[in-house]
Amino acid sequence: MGFKKIILSSVALLSAVTLAACSSNSSDSSSVNVGIIQYAEHEALSSAREGFVEALEEAGYKEGENLTIDLQNAQGDQANLQTMVEKLAGKNDLNFAIATPAAQAMLNVDSETSSVFTAVTDPVEAGLVESLEKPGGTMTGSTDATDVEGQIEMLLKVVPTAKTVGIFYNSSEVNSEVQAEQAKKALEAKGVKVEVTTVTTTNDVQQAITSLAGKVDAIYLPTDNTVASTTSTIGDILKEAKVPAMGSDAAVIDAALFTYGVDYHAIGVQAGELAVKILKGEKPADLAVEKPNTAAITVNEEMAKAVGIDAATIKALEE
């Protein structure tokens, strides 16, 4: 009788240990921690973040269940950015960086944790990956690189009488610099004079855009966090000056006559799908950086009235 009790006790103990081990392994394999560093608060970057989280959820990673997200938003402040990436460094299964400054800061403080980026125009130039096809390190992601030549063609179709086109951006943003150079070359190749005006802070925007508007027939706005953060100011000035502008993404539609470029929610989803592959065991080094799959025109009808251009004509160009 005593021997039987010993056997039963041993079996019970073994079962308990086995269940505990299974429970522990299940938790370790299914629960993940993801850090998110967003450079600034504006529609494009927030839309990319939402797309990223949706892709994780679609793959079965749900916040509050088996996913913990540590979201940090630097609000466009470099000092905040540095502090926030240090908080995330080494503490997550994967980090997600939104915009070039955020991705660069993240990589600088944590080159060990697998990371995914989005809203980065040229990840090679920014030093994030070795090449788009073979990133080679701990980062991969989706770009917001646009067909700048195609954008310039569209701008000149909408404003065919433009002799001088302005380009406006923050000179400290690598993304913007790359697009601005491409736009300048494309415009000059078509015999259009180019006026380039840059700023380094939002405080300079009002004076700079007012001056530029007085010199040009149209303005090209590359994807730029400073522009996206000051759309109301820019839009008011351009309405008053009756100068049409084309933006590279819907986040700047309040400043522009129309936008033609990246769907940030879509590239956020692409980044999320890459993150899922990494969480399931693939290496960032082997996952090619993805380019945008879609582009679209968005028209600001209020601006169209202000500058005297038919909104329907612009929309028809997309067809």
Side-chain angles (χ1 to χ4, degrees):
M1 190 72 175
F3 180 71
K4 185 176 180 182
K5 286 183 178 179
I6 291 172
I7 293 292
L8 290 173
S9 297
S10 298
V11 170
L13 178 60
L14 180 60
S15 298
V17 171
T18 302
L19 286 171
C22 289
S23 175
S24 174
N25 288 340
S26 173
S27 176
D28 288 344
S29 63
S30 62
S31 297
V32 298
N33 297 315
V34 173
I36 299 179
I37 178 65
Q38 181 171 328
Y39 176 62
E41 183 62 40
H42 61 69
E43 182 182 344
L45 302 190
S46 296
S47 181
R49 185 189 73 236
E50 291 163 5
F52 176 83
V53 174
E54 286 176 20
L56 292 183
E57 186 170 337
E58 182 69 23
Y61 296 99
K62 298 182 180 180
E63 193 172 6
E65 296 181 14
N66 59 351
L67 171 65
T68 300
I69 292 177
D70 185 352
L71 171 61
Q72 304 287 329
N73 190 322
Q75 302 294 342
D77 185 282
Q78 198 65 34
N80 285 345
L81 182 61
Q82 187 61 32
T83 300
M84 290 175 177
V85 293
E86 288 172 359
K87 286 182 181 178
L88 298 177
K91 295 184 176 65
N92 298 293
D93 298 295
L94 179 138
N95 289 316
F96 177 47
I98 311 174
T100 301
Q104 290 174 318
M106 191 74 253
L107 185 59
N108 285 340
V109 301
D110 188 353
S111 59
E112 300 297 323
T113 303
S114 294
S115 297
V116 175
F117 55 75
T118 198
V120 173
T121 299
D122 191 339
V124 177
E125 179 70 22
L128 304 177
V129 298
E130 293 174 9
S131 72
L132 299 183
E133 296 75 21
K134 288 286 185 180
T138 57
M139 274 194 163
T140 188
S142 58
T143 80
D144 60 1
T146 54
D147 175 8
V148 176
E149 287 189 13
Q151 287 183 320
I152 295 304
E153 286 182 10
M154 186 67 72
L155 176 59
L156 296 179
K157 285 180 181 178
V158 173
V159 194
T161 58
K163 304 298 182 186
T164 304
V165 172
I167 300 176
F168 183 73
Y169 66 100
N170 185 330
S171 59
S172 65
E173 291 195 30
V174 176
N175 275 7
S176 311
E177 188 82 42
V178 170
Q179 292 169 81
E181 284 299 318
Q182 292 174 350
K184 185 173 184 291
K185 289 179 181 178
L187 286 163
E188 290 176 342
K190 293 182 178 296
V192 178
K193 182 181 177 183
V194 178
E195 284 280 347
V196 177
T197 296
T198 65
V199 294
T200 55
T201 71
T202 56
N203 295 331
D204 302 327
V205 169
Q206 184 170 358
Q207 182 177 349
I209 197 70
T210 299
S211 175
L212 180 62
K215 303 174 184 176
V216 301
D217 305 306
I219 293 175
Y220 171 75
L221 302 170
T223 53
D224 184 278
N225 291 299
T226 299
V227 171
S229 299
T230 56
T231 55
S232 179
T233 297
I234 295 172
D236 288 345
I237 292 168
L238 296 185
K239 281 177 190 174
E240 182 68 25
K242 299 188 183 304
V243 174
M246 185 190 74
S248 295
D249 65 81
V252 300
I253 189 60
D254 289 342
L257 167 62
F258 73 104
T259 63
Y260 180 59
V262 177
D263 180 336
Y264 275 83
H265 183 272
I267 62 171
V269 170
Q270 288 177 254
E273 290 170 347
L274 287 169
V276 169
K277 291 180 180 180
I278 293 168
L279 291 171
K280 291 186 175 181
E282 296 189 52
K283 295 180 180 179
D286 301 325
L287 294 172
V289 174
E290 296 190 6
K291 296 179 180 179
N293 291 327
T294 59
I297 287 179
T298 303
V299 180
N300 181 339
E301 297 197 8
E302 185 179 336
M303 183 69 78
K305 291 178 183 178
V307 301
I309 294 177
D310 184 8
T313 301
I314 303 171
K315 292 176 183 178
L317 293 173
E318 188 179 18
E319 298 175 356

